[in-house]
Amino acid sequence: MAEYLTVLTTTDAAEKAQALAAGAVEAKVAACAQIEGPITSVYRWEGVVQTDREWRVLYKTTAERYPELEAHIKQMHDYDTPEIIATPVTHGSGAYLSWVSQETARG
């Protein structure tokens, strides 16, 4: 398993994205969270194709802290089934990855 991850979620308002991002960084389950948007999402939900405006939150974290980050997103998110996708970081600046480790360390 990769030691570092980027984790993606989306939400339907800039304020909600800010709260999701800040909450994860404050809880030290992510070292950083970047917000992009608005973006356009097209998806099928309950049998109907929908198009909505959303904001994307991209977290930087460690694999060790992923379970807590996922739990944080699920607890704070107001979607029935929030998007939570983790992608392994296969390469990165040693100094940056060390910072991610420091910022997400327990205790």
Side-chain angles (χ1 to χ4, degrees), residues 8-11 13-14 17 33-39 54-58:
L8 174 69
T9 194
T10 56
T11 190
Q34 296 170 319
I35 300 167
E36 299 175 274
I39 60 172
E54 292 187 301
W55 280 257
R56 181 182 298 134
V57 183
L58 182 66

Side-chain angles (χ1 to χ4, degrees), residues 56-75:
R56 181 182 298 134
V57 183
L58 182 66
Y59 303 93
K60 295 9 176 308
T61 194
T62 60
E64 178 184 5
R65 295 296 270 174
Y66 174 80
E68 290 139 307
L69 176 56
E70 181 180 341
H72 169 81
I73 294 169
K74 287 178 178 177
Q75 177 184 3

Side-chain angles (χ1 to χ4, degrees), residues 3-69:
E3 190 173 347
Y4 298 94
L5 304 170
T6 59
V7 179
L8 174 69
T9 194
T10 56
T11 190
D12 61 1
E15 302 80 27
K16 292 177 186 179
Q18 176 64 34
L20 285 165
V25 173
E26 287 170 6
K28 297 189 78 166
V29 296
C32 172
Q34 296 170 319
I35 300 167
E36 299 175 274
I39 60 172
T40 301
S41 295
V42 180
Y43 57 96
R44 184 180 314 276
W45 184 251
E46 298 178 345
V48 178
V49 175
Q50 299 186 39
T51 301
D52 286 311
R53 196 165 84 156
E54 292 187 301
W55 280 257
R56 181 182 298 134
V57 183
L58 182 66
Y59 303 93
K60 295 9 176 308
T61 194
T62 60
E64 178 184 5
R65 295 296 270 174
Y66 174 80
E68 290 139 307
L69 176 56

